[in-house]
Amino acid sequence: MDAARLGFSPDTVIQELGWDEDVDTELRSAIEGIVGHALVDGESDEVVDGVILWWRDDDGDLVDALFDALADLAEGGSIWVLTPKVGRPGYVTGADIAEAAPVAGLSTTTTSSASAEWSATKLSTHKR
């Protein structure tokens, strides 16, 4: 996926959660290239414009992770849940994401390929 399709733009602050050695470093670098600076981690206390959440089947409770991702997210921001593709270790079904999203107050809007190994599902806050 072209990182630009994630909808990030220059000078936006993107938080990265769930980083581990298996993440797609090329995708991360492409996102940083678009926004013009490094991604911020979960220790940051600044308001962020978007979140990328690397999520695997054995990472715990997705609803809890989504609530954590919402903590610093600006109004109107999006969360991209990046999961291993079918057949890869840690694969997460789309149904699992679709089930967790509304519990956290989010709507599933888009799912697509993010890279050779990862799928991306965009979650947005409900319109008020």
Side-chain angles (χ1 to χ4, degrees), residues 4-123:
R5 289 182 44 201
L6 295 174
F8 302 138
S9 56
D11 298 322
T12 56
V13 178
I14 307 302
Q15 185 175 54
E16 177 182 44
L17 302 173
W19 182 93
D20 204 342
E21 293 181 8
D22 63 347
V23 302
D24 187 309
T25 55
E26 289 182 21
L27 180 60
R28 289 181 79 252
S29 294
I31 294 168
E32 289 176 335
I34 290 168
V35 301
H37 52 82
L39 303 172
V40 299
D41 64 22
E43 303 301 314
S44 173
D45 60 357
E46 64 184 299
V47 175
V48 299
D49 302 300
V51 174
I52 58 170
L53 171 63
W54 302 95
W55 192 257
R56 302 143 201 94
D57 185 51
D58 60 354
D59 281 348
D61 186 323
L62 180 54
V63 173
D64 288 345
L66 292 174
F67 276 121
D68 290 345
L70 285 166
D72 298 324
L73 187 64
E75 186 174 334
S78 297
I79 299 169
W80 283 92
V81 180
L82 299 164
T83 58
K85 288 186 173 179
V86 176
R88 308 284 195 301
Y91 168 69
V92 176
T93 68
D96 289 346
I97 297 169
E99 183 179 302
V103 175
L106 298 163
S107 298
T108 304
T109 60
T110 307
T111 300
S112 59
S113 177
S115 69
E117 302 285 322
W118 294 85
S119 293
T121 302
K122 183 179 182 181
L123 304 179

